[in-house]
Coordinates of all heavy atoms in Angstrom, one line a residue:
M1 N 96.6 127.6 106.5 CA 96.7 127.1 105.2 C 98.1 126.7 104.9 O 99.0 127.4 105.1 CB 96.2 128.2 104.2 CG 96.0 127.6 102.9 SD 95.3 128.9 101.7 CE 93.6 128.9 102.2
L2 N 98.3 125.5 104.4 CA 99.6 125.1 103.8 C 99.9 125.7 102.5 O 99.0 125.6 101.5 CB 99.6 123.6 103.8 CG 99.4 122.8 105.0 CD1 99.3 121.3 104.8 CD2 100.4 123.1 106.0
T3 N 101.0 126.3 102.3 CA 101.2 126.9 101.1 C 102.7 126.5 100.5 O 103.7 126.5 101.3 CB 101.1 128.4 101.2 OG1 99.9 128.7 101.7 CG2 101.3 129.1 99.8
T4 N 102.7 126.2 99.3 CA 104.0 126.0 98.6 C 104.0 127.0 97.4 O 103.0 127.6 97.1 CB 104.2 124.6 98.1 OG1 103.1 124.2 97.2 CG2 104.1 123.6 99.2
P5 N 105.1 127.1 96.7 CA 105.1 128.1 95.6 C 104.0 128.0 94.6 O 103.4 129.1 94.2 CB 106.5 127.8 94.9 CG 107.4 127.2 96.0 CD 106.4 126.4 96.9
N6 N 103.6 126.9 94.3 CA 102.6 126.6 93.2 C 101.2 126.1 93.7 O 100.5 125.8 92.9 CB 103.0 125.9 92.0 CG 104.2 126.6 91.3 OD1 104.2 127.7 91.1 ND2 105.2 125.7 91.0
L7 N 101.1 125.8 95.0 CA 100.0 125.0 95.4 C 99.5 125.7 96.7 O 100.4 126.0 97.7 CB 100.5 123.6 95.8 CG 99.6 122.6 96.2 CD1 98.5 122.4 95.2 CD2 100.2 121.3 96.5
S8 N 98.2 125.7 96.9 CA 97.6 126.2 98.1 C 96.6 125.1 98.7 O 95.7 124.8 98.0 CB 96.9 127.5 97.9 OG 96.2 127.9 99.1
L9 N 96.9 124.5 99.9 CA 96.0 123.5 100.4 C 95.4 124.0 101.6 O 96.0 124.6 102.4 CB 96.9 122.3 100.7 CG 97.7 121.5 99.8 CD1 98.5 120.4 100.2 CD2 96.7 120.9 98.7
E10 N 94.2 123.8 101.7 CA 93.5 124.3 102.9 C 93.6 123.3 104.0 O 93.3 122.2 103.9 CB 91.9 124.5 102.5 CG 91.2 124.9 103.9 CD 89.7 125.2 103.6 OE1 89.4 125.5 102.4 OE2 89.0 125.2 104.5
S11 N 94.2 123.5 105.2 CA 94.6 122.7 106.2 C 93.4 122.5 107.2 O 92.7 123.7 107.5 CB 95.8 123.2 106.9 OG 96.1 122.4 108.0
V12 N 93.0 121.4 107.5 CA 92.0 121.2 108.6 C 92.4 120.7 109.8 O 91.7 120.4 110.7 CB 90.8 120.4 108.0 CG1 90.1 121.1 106.8 CG2 91.3 119.0 107.4
A13 N 93.8 120.4 110.0 CA 94.3 120.0 111.2 C 95.7 120.4 111.4 O 96.3 120.4 110.2 CB 94.3 118.5 111.3
S14 N 96.2 120.6 112.5 CA 97.5 121.0 112.7 C 98.3 120.0 113.5 O 98.0 119.5 114.5 CB 97.5 122.3 113.6 OG 98.9 122.6 113.8
P15 N 99.4 119.4 112.8 CA 100.0 118.4 113.5 C 100.8 118.8 114.8 O 100.9 118.0 115.7 CB 101.2 117.9 112.4 CG 101.3 119.2 111.6 CD 99.9 119.8 111.6
K16 N 101.2 120.0 114.9 CA 101.9 120.5 116.0 C 100.9 120.5 117.2 O 101.3 120.1 118.3 CB 102.5 121.8 115.8 CG 103.7 121.8 114.9 CD 104.3 123.1 114.5 CE 105.5 122.9 113.5 NZ 106.0 124.2 113.3
R17 N 99.7 120.9 117.0 CA 98.8 121.0 118.1 C 98.1 119.9 118.5 O 97.9 119.5 119.6 CB 97.7 122.0 117.7 CG 98.2 123.4 117.9 CD 97.1 124.5 117.7 NE 97.0 124.7 116.3 CZ 96.0 125.1 115.6 NH1 94.9 125.3 116.2 NH2 96.0 125.3 114.3
S18 N 97.8 118.9 117.5 CA 97.0 117.8 117.7 C 97.8 116.4 117.8 O 97.3 115.5 118.2 CB 96.0 117.6 116.6 OG 96.5 117.4 115.3
G19 N 99.1 116.4 117.3 CA 99.8 115.2 117.4 C 99.6 114.2 116.2 O 100.0 113.2 116.2
V20 N 98.7 114.7 115.2 CA 98.6 113.8 114.0 C 99.1 114.5 112.8 O 99.4 115.6 112.8 CB 97.1 113.6 113.9 CG1 96.4 112.9 115.1 CG2 96.3 114.9 113.6
A21 N 99.2 113.7 111.7 CA 99.6 114.2 110.4 C 98.7 115.2 110.0 O 97.5 115.3 110.3 CB 99.7 113.0 109.4
P22 N 99.3 116.3 109.2 CA 98.4 117.3 108.7 C 97.4 116.7 107.7 O 97.6 115.8 107.1 CB 99.3 118.2 108.0 CG 100.8 117.6 108.0 CD 100.6 116.4 108.9
L23 N 96.2 117.3 107.8 CA 95.2 116.9 106.8 C 94.7 118.1 106.0 O 94.4 119.1 106.6 CB 94.0 116.4 107.6 CG 92.8 115.8 106.9 CD1 93.1 114.8 105.9 CD2 91.6 115.6 107.8
S24 N 94.8 118.0 104.7 CA 94.4 119.1 103.9 C 93.4 118.6 102.8 O 93.3 117.5 102.5 CB 95.7 119.7 103.1 OG 96.6 120.1 104.2
R25 N 92.8 119.6 102.1 CA 91.9 119.2 101.0 C 92.1 120.2 99.8 O 92.7 121.3 100.1 CB 90.5 119.3 101.4 CG 90.1 120.7 101.9 CD 88.7 120.7 102.6 NE 88.4 122.0 103.1 CZ 87.5 122.2 104.0 NH1 86.8 121.2 104.4 NH2 87.3 123.5 104.6
I26 N 91.8 119.7 98.7 CA 92.2 120.4 97.4 C 91.0 119.9 96.4 O 90.8 118.7 96.4 CB 93.6 120.1 96.9 CG1 94.0 121.0 95.8 CG2 93.9 118.7 96.6 CD1 95.4 121.1 95.4
A27 N 90.7 120.8 95.5 CA 89.8 120.4 94.4 C 90.6 119.6 93.5 O 91.7 119.7 93.1 CB 89.4 121.7 93.7
S28 N 89.9 118.5 92.9 CA 90.6 117.6 92.0 C 91.1 118.3 90.8 O 92.1 118.0 90.3 CB 89.7 116.4 91.6 OG 88.4 116.8 91.0
S29 N 90.5 119.3 90.3 CA 90.9 120.0 89.1 C 92.2 120.7 89.4 O 93.1 120.6 88.4 CB 89.9 121.1 88.7 OG 89.6 121.9 89.8
E30 N 92.5 121.2 90.6 CA 93.7 121.8 91.0 C 94.8 120.7 91.2 O 96.0 120.8 90.8 CB 93.6 122.8 92.2 CG 94.9 123.4 92.5 CD 94.9 124.3 93.7 OE1 93.7 124.5 94.2 OE2 95.9 124.8 94.2
A31 N 94.4 119.6 91.8 CA 95.2 118.5 92.1 C 95.9 118.0 90.8 O 97.1 117.5 90.8 CB 94.5 117.3 92.9
R32 N 95.1 117.9 89.7 CA 95.7 117.4 88.5 C 96.9 118.1 88.0 O 97.9 117.6 87.5 CB 94.6 117.6 87.3 CG 94.0 116.4 86.9 CD 93.0 116.6 85.7 NE 91.7 116.2 86.3 CZ 90.6 117.1 86.4 NH1 90.8 118.3 86.1 NH2 89.5 116.7 86.9
E33 N 96.9 119.4 88.3 CA 98.0 120.2 87.9 C 99.1 120.2 88.8 O 100.2 120.5 88.5 CB 97.5 121.8 87.8 CG 96.4 121.9 86.8 CD 95.8 123.3 86.7 OE1 96.4 124.1 87.6 OE2 94.8 123.5 86.1
E34 N 98.9 119.8 89.9 CA 99.9 119.7 91.1 C 100.3 118.4 91.6 O 100.7 118.2 92.7 CB 99.4 120.6 92.3 CG 99.0 122.0 91.8 CD 100.3 122.9 91.2 OE1 101.3 122.5 91.6 OE2 99.9 123.8 90.6
L35 N 100.0 117.3 90.8 CA 100.1 115.9 91.3 C 101.4 115.6 91.9 O 101.5 115.1 93.0 CB 99.7 114.8 90.2 CG 99.7 113.5 90.7 CD1 98.8 113.3 91.9 CD2 99.3 112.5 89.5
A36 N 102.6 115.9 91.2 CA 103.9 115.7 91.8 C 104.1 116.4 93.1 O 104.7 115.6 93.9 CB 105.0 116.2 90.6
E37 N 103.7 117.6 93.3 CA 103.9 118.2 94.4 C 103.1 117.6 95.7 O 103.4 117.5 96.7 CB 103.5 119.7 94.3 CG 104.1 120.5 95.5 CD 104.0 122.0 95.1 OE1 103.8 122.4 93.9 OE2 104.1 122.8 96.0
L38 N 101.8 117.1 95.3 CA 101.0 116.4 96.3 C 101.6 115.2 96.7 O 101.6 114.8 97.9 CB 99.6 116.2 95.7 CG 98.8 117.6 95.4 CD1 97.6 117.0 94.6 CD2 98.4 118.2 96.7
I39 N 102.1 114.4 95.7 CA 102.7 113.2 96.0 C 104.0 113.4 97.0 O 104.2 112.6 98.0 CB 103.3 112.5 94.8 CG1 102.0 111.8 93.9 CG2 104.2 111.3 95.2 CD1 102.3 111.4 92.6
N40 N 104.8 114.3 96.7 CA 105.8 114.6 97.6 C 105.4 115.0 99.1 O 106.0 114.6 100.1 CB 106.7 115.9 97.0 CG 107.6 115.3 95.9 OD1 107.8 114.1 95.8 ND2 107.9 116.3 95.1
A41 N 104.3 115.9 99.2 CA 103.8 116.2 100.4 C 103.3 115.0 101.3 O 103.7 114.8 102.4 CB 102.7 117.2 100.2
V42 N 102.7 114.1 100.5 CA 102.3 112.9 101.2 C 103.4 112.0 101.7 O 103.5 111.5 102.7 CB 101.2 112.2 100.3 CG1 101.0 110.7 100.9 CG2 99.9 112.9 100.1
A43 N 104.3 111.7 100.6 CA 105.5 110.8 100.9 C 106.5 111.2 101.9 O 106.9 110.5 102.8 CB 106.1 110.4 99.5
W44 N 106.8 112.6 101.8 CA 107.9 113.1 102.7 C 107.5 113.7 104.0 O 108.2 113.6 105.0 CB 108.8 114.0 101.9 CG 109.3 113.2 100.7 CD1 109.0 113.5 99.3 CD2 110.1 112.0 100.5 NE1 109.6 112.6 98.6 CE2 110.3 111.7 99.3 CE3 110.7 111.3 101.5 CZ2 111.1 110.6 98.9 CZ3 111.5 110.1 101.2 CH2 111.6 109.9 99.9
S45 N 106.2 114.4 104.0 CA 106.0 114.9 105.3 C 104.8 114.4 106.0 O 104.3 114.8 107.1 CB 105.5 116.5 104.9 OG 104.3 116.5 104.3
G46 N 104.2 113.4 105.4 CA 103.1 112.5 105.9 C 101.8 113.2 105.9 O 100.8 112.8 106.6
T47 N 101.7 114.3 105.1 CA 100.5 115.0 104.9 C 99.5 114.1 104.4 O 99.7 113.3 103.5 CB 100.5 116.3 104.0 OG1 101.5 117.2 104.5 CG2 99.3 116.9 103.7
R48 N 98.2 114.2 104.8 CA 97.1 113.3 104.2 C 96.2 114.4 103.5 O 95.8 115.5 104.0 CB 96.2 112.8 105.4 CG 97.1 111.8 106.1 CD 96.4 111.3 107.4 NE 97.2 110.4 108.1 CZ 97.2 110.1 109.3 NH1 96.3 110.9 110.1 NH2 97.8 109.2 110.0
I49 N 95.9 114.0 102.2 CA 95.3 115.1 101.3 C 93.9 114.4 100.8 O 93.9 113.4 100.3 CB 96.1 115.5 100.1 CG1 97.4 116.1 100.8 CG2 95.4 116.3 99.2 CD1 98.4 116.4 99.7
I50 N 92.9 115.1 101.0 CA 91.6 114.9 100.5 C 91.3 115.5 99.2 O 91.4 116.8 99.1 CB 90.4 115.3 101.5 CG1 90.7 114.6 102.9 CG2 89.0 114.8 101.0 CD1 90.6 113.1 103.0
L51 N 90.9 114.8 98.2 CA 90.6 115.5 96.9 C 89.0 115.6 96.8 O 88.4 114.7 97.2 CB 91.1 114.6 95.6 CG 92.5 114.8 95.3 CD1 93.4 114.4 96.3 CD2 92.9 114.1 94.0
Q52 N 88.7 116.8 96.3 CA 87.2 117.0 96.2 C 86.7 117.4 94.9 O 87.5 117.8 94.1 CB 86.8 118.3 97.2 CG 87.2 118.1 98.6 CD 86.8 119.3 99.4 OE1 86.9 120.5 99.0 NE2 86.2 119.1 100.6
R53 N 85.6 116.8 94.6 CA 84.8 117.1 93.4 C 83.4 118.0 93.8 O 82.8 117.5 94.5 CB 84.5 116.0 92.6 CG 85.6 115.5 91.8 CD 85.2 114.4 90.8 NE 86.3 113.9 90.1 CZ 86.3 112.6 89.7 NH1 85.2 111.9 89.8 NH2 87.4 112.2 89.0
H54 N 83.4 119.1 93.2 CA 82.2 119.8 93.5 C 82.0 120.1 95.0 O 80.9 120.0 95.5 CB 80.8 119.3 92.9 CG 81.0 119.1 91.4 ND1 81.1 120.0 90.5 CD2 81.3 117.8 90.8 CE1 81.4 119.5 89.3 NE2 81.4 118.1 89.3
G55 N 83.1 120.3 95.8 CA 83.0 120.5 97.1 C 82.6 119.3 98.0 O 82.6 119.3 99.2
K56 N 82.6 118.1 97.5 CA 82.5 116.8 98.3 C 83.7 116.0 98.1 O 84.4 115.8 97.2 CB 81.4 116.0 97.5 CG 80.0 116.7 97.6 CD 78.9 115.8 97.1 CE 77.6 116.5 97.3 NZ 76.6 115.8 96.7
N57 N 84.0 115.5 99.4 CA 85.3 114.5 99.5 C 85.1 113.3 98.7 O 84.0 112.7 98.8 CB 85.6 114.2 101.0 CG 85.8 115.5 101.9 OD1 86.1 116.6 101.3 ND2 85.5 115.3 103.1
V58 N 86.1 113.0 97.8 CA 85.9 111.8 97.0 C 87.1 110.8 97.1 O 86.9 109.5 96.8 CB 85.7 112.1 95.5 CG1 84.4 112.7 95.2 CG2 86.8 113.0 94.9
V59 N 88.2 111.3 97.3 CA 89.6 110.4 97.3 C 90.4 111.0 98.4 O 90.6 112.2 98.6 CB 90.2 110.5 96.0 CG1 91.5 109.7 96.1 CG2 89.2 109.8 95.0
A60 N 91.3 110.0 99.0 CA 92.3 110.4 100.0 C 93.5 110.0 99.5 O 93.8 108.9 99.0 CB 92.0 109.8 101.3
L61 N 94.6 110.9 99.6 CA 96.1 110.5 99.2 C 96.6 110.3 100.7 O 96.7 111.2 101.4 CB 96.7 111.6 98.4 CG 96.2 111.9 97.1 CD1 97.0 113.0 96.5 CD2 96.3 110.7 96.2
V62 N 97.2 109.0 100.9 CA 97.7 108.8 102.1 C 99.2 108.1 101.8 O 99.4 107.4 100.7 CB 96.9 107.9 103.0 CG1 95.6 108.7 103.4 CG2 96.6 106.6 102.4
S63 N 100.0 108.2 102.7 CA 101.3 107.5 102.6 C 101.3 106.1 102.7 O 100.2 105.5 103.2 CB 102.4 108.0 103.6 OG 101.9 107.5 104.9
M64 N 102.3 105.4 102.2 CA 102.3 103.9 102.3 C 102.3 103.4 103.8 O 101.6 102.4 104.2 CB 103.5 103.3 101.6 CG 103.4 103.5 100.1 SD 102.0 102.9 99.4 CE 102.2 101.1 99.4
D65 N 102.8 104.3 104.6 CA 102.9 104.0 106.1 C 101.5 104.1 106.6 O 101.0 103.1 107.4 CB 103.7 104.9 106.9 CG 105.2 104.6 106.6 OD1 105.6 103.5 106.3 OD2 106.1 105.5 107.0
D66 N 100.7 105.0 106.3 CA 99.4 105.1 106.7 C 98.5 104.0 106.1 O 97.7 103.4 106.9 CB 98.7 106.5 106.2 CG 99.2 107.6 107.1 OD1 99.8 107.4 108.2 OD2 98.9 108.8 106.7
L67 N 98.8 103.6 104.9 CA 98.0 102.5 104.3 C 98.2 101.2 105.1 O 97.4 100.4 105.4 CB 98.5 102.3 102.9 CG 97.5 101.5 102.0 CD1 96.1 102.3 102.0 CD2 98.2 101.4 100.6
K68 N 99.5 100.9 105.5 CA 99.9 99.7 106.3 C 99.1 99.9 107.7 O 98.7 98.9 108.2 CB 101.4 99.7 106.6 CG 102.1 99.3 105.3 CD 103.5 99.3 105.6 CE 104.4 99.0 104.4 NZ 105.8 99.2 104.5
K69 N 99.0 101.0 108.3 CA 98.4 101.3 109.6 C 97.0 101.0 109.5 O 96.4 100.5 110.4 CB 98.7 102.7 110.2 CG 100.1 103.1 110.5 CD 100.2 104.4 110.9 CE 101.7 104.8 111.2 NZ 101.9 106.2 111.4
L70 N 96.4 101.2 108.3 CA 94.9 100.9 108.1 C 94.7 99.3 107.9 O 93.6 98.9 107.9 CB 94.4 101.6 106.8 CG 94.3 103.2 107.1 CD1 94.0 103.8 105.6 CD2 93.1 103.5 108.2
G71 N 95.8 98.6 107.9 CA 95.7 97.1 107.7 C 95.6 96.7 106.3 O 95.2 95.4 106.1
V72 N 95.9 97.5 105.3 CA 95.8 97.2 103.9 C 96.9 96.2 103.6 O 98.2 96.7 103.7 CB 95.7 98.4 102.9 CG1 95.8 98.0 101.5 CG2 94.5 99.1 103.3
R73 N 96.8 95.2 103.0 CA 97.9 94.3 102.5 C 98.0 94.2 101.1 O 96.9 93.8 100.3 CB 97.8 92.9 103.2 CG 97.8 92.7 104.6 CD 97.8 91.4 105.1 NE 97.8 91.2 106.5 CZ 97.5 90.2 107.2 NH1 97.1 89.2 106.7 NH2 97.6 90.3 108.4
L74 N 99.0 94.7 100.6 CA 99.2 94.8 99.1 C 99.6 93.5 98.5 O 100.6 92.9 98.9 CB 100.1 95.9 98.7 CG 99.7 97.3 99.2 CD1 100.8 98.3 98.9 CD2 98.4 97.6 98.5
P75 N 99.0 93.0 97.3 CA 99.6 91.9 96.6 C 100.9 92.1 96.1 O 101.3 93.4 95.9 CB 98.5 91.7 95.6 CG 97.8 92.9 95.4 CD 98.0 93.7 96.7
K76 N 101.8 91.2 95.9 CA 103.1 91.4 95.3 C 103.1 91.9 93.9 O 103.9 92.6 93.6 CB 104.0 90.1 95.4 CG 104.2 89.6 96.7 CD 105.0 88.4 96.8 CE 105.3 88.1 98.3 NZ 106.3 86.9 98.5
N77 N 102.2 91.5 93.1 CA 102.0 91.9 91.7 C 100.8 92.8 91.4 O 99.9 92.2 91.2 CB 102.1 90.8 90.8 CG 103.4 90.0 90.8 OD1 104.5 90.6 90.9 ND2 103.3 88.6 90.8
I78 N 101.1 94.0 91.6 CA 99.9 94.9 91.4 C 99.9 95.3 90.0 O 100.9 95.9 89.6 CB 100.0 96.2 92.3 CG1 100.0 95.9 93.7 CG2 98.9 97.2 92.0 CD1 100.3 97.0 94.7
P79 N 98.9 95.2 89.2 CA 98.7 95.5 87.9 C 98.9 97.1 87.6 O 98.5 97.9 88.5 CB 97.5 95.0 87.3 CG 96.6 94.7 88.6 CD 97.5 94.5 89.7
I80 N 99.5 97.4 86.5 CA 99.5 98.8 86.1 C 98.1 99.3 85.9 O 97.3 98.5 85.1 CB 100.5 98.9 84.9 CG1 102.0 98.6 85.3 CG2 100.5 100.5 84.4 CD1 102.9 98.6 84.3
W81 N 97.7 100.5 86.1 CA 96.5 101.0 86.1 C 95.6 100.8 84.8 O 94.6 100.3 84.8 CB 96.3 102.4 86.5 CG 95.1 103.0 86.7 CD1 94.1 102.7 87.6 CD2 94.5 103.9 85.6 NE1 92.8 103.4 87.2 CE2 93.1 104.1 86.0 CE3 95.0 104.4 84.5 CZ2 92.2 104.9 85.3 CZ3 94.1 105.2 83.8 CH2 92.8 105.5 84.1
P82 N 96.2 101.3 83.6 CA 95.5 101.0 82.3 C 95.0 99.6 82.2 O 93.9 99.3 81.6 CB 96.3 101.6 81.3 CG 97.2 102.5 82.0 CD 97.4 102.0 83.4
E83 N 95.9 98.7 82.5 CA 95.6 97.3 82.3 C 94.5 96.8 83.3 O 93.7 96.1 82.9 CB 96.9 96.4 82.6 CG 98.0 96.7 81.7 CD 99.2 95.8 82.2 OE1 99.1 94.9 83.0 OE2 100.4 96.0 81.6
T84 N 94.4 97.4 84.5 CA 93.5 97.0 85.4 C 91.9 97.5 84.7 O 91.1 96.8 84.8 CB 93.6 97.7 86.7 OG1 94.9 97.5 87.2 CG2 92.7 97.3 87.8
T85 N 92.0 98.7 84.3 CA 90.7 99.2 83.9 C 90.3 98.6 82.6 O 89.1 98.3 82.4 CB 90.7 100.7 83.5 OG1 91.7 101.1 82.7 CG2 91.0 101.5 84.9
T86 N 91.3 98.2 81.7 CA 90.8 97.6 80.4 C 90.4 96.2 80.6 O 89.4 95.8 80.0 CB 92.2 97.4 79.6 OG1 92.7 98.6 79.4 CG2 92.0 96.7 78.2
R87 N 90.9 95.5 81.7 CA 90.4 94.0 81.9 C 89.0 94.2 82.4 O 88.0 93.3 82.2 CB 91.3 93.5 83.0 CG 92.5 93.0 82.5 CD 93.4 92.3 83.5 NE 94.7 92.1 83.1 CZ 95.8 92.0 83.8 NH1 95.6 92.1 85.2 NH2 97.0 91.8 83.3
R88 N 88.5 95.2 83.3 CA 87.3 95.2 83.8 C 86.2 95.6 82.6 O 85.0 95.2 82.7 CB 87.2 96.3 84.8 CG 87.5 95.9 86.2 CD 87.2 96.8 87.2 NE 88.5 97.3 87.7 CZ 88.5 98.4 88.3 NH1 87.4 99.2 88.6 NH2 89.7 98.9 88.8
E89 N 86.7 96.4 81.7 CA 85.7 96.8 80.6 C 85.5 95.7 79.6 O 84.6 95.6 78.9 CB 86.2 98.0 79.9 CG 86.3 99.3 80.8 CD 87.0 100.5 80.1 OE1 87.5 100.3 78.9 OE2 87.1 101.5 80.8
S90 N 86.4 94.7 79.6 CA 86.3 93.7 78.5 C 85.3 92.7 78.8 O 84.9 92.3 79.8 CB 87.6 93.0 78.5 OG 88.8 93.9 78.1

């Protein structure tokens, strides 16, 4: 289990043994309270984090490097999130 002072992530892979980035999961309710720490873990250590709702995997937090490895090409002007959701609802 990966542990930081305020956060406990259940680890499902060990980077030292498997040669891949660590993979952990956390409930979305706990992730809300620990978002800054999760972002740092993903950005600086390469940890990949799965957020769960009611025990089901719903979202993955991955680094920008991982996103590039997946072949995702980001547009130059990405809208700010509330603007994106407002436009869809209109």
Side-chain angles (χ1 to χ4, degrees):
M1 187 172 292
L2 300 173
T3 306
T4 60
N6 298 320
L7 181 65
S8 176
L9 298 172
E10 184 177 337
S11 180
V12 293
S14 171
K16 291 180 181 175
R17 285 185 275 155
S18 64
V20 297
L23 178 63
S24 299
R25 59 186 172 203
I26 186 172
S28 61
S29 57
E30 186 179 350
R32 246 182 249 117
E33 299 168 9
E34 306 295 342
L35 185 59
E37 200 165 341
L38 294 171
I39 290 170
N40 286 336
V42 171
W44 303 113
S45 72
T47 300
R48 297 167 179 157
I49 299 173
I50 304 297
L51 277 64
Q52 297 182 321
R53 280 193 183 148
H54 309 290
K56 295 184 180 181
N57 300 336
V58 292
V59 173
L61 297 178
V62 298
S63 69
M64 294 305 291
D65 286 341
D66 281 348
L67 203 58
K68 288 177 188 174
K69 289 175 188 174
L70 290 170
V72 175
R73 293 185 180 165
L74 299 175
K76 291 183 181 186
N77 296 319
I78 300 172
I80 295 174
W81 182 75
E83 293 176 11
T84 306
T85 58
T86 303
R87 288 182 189 154
R88 277 193 252 159
E89 293 173 1
S90 304

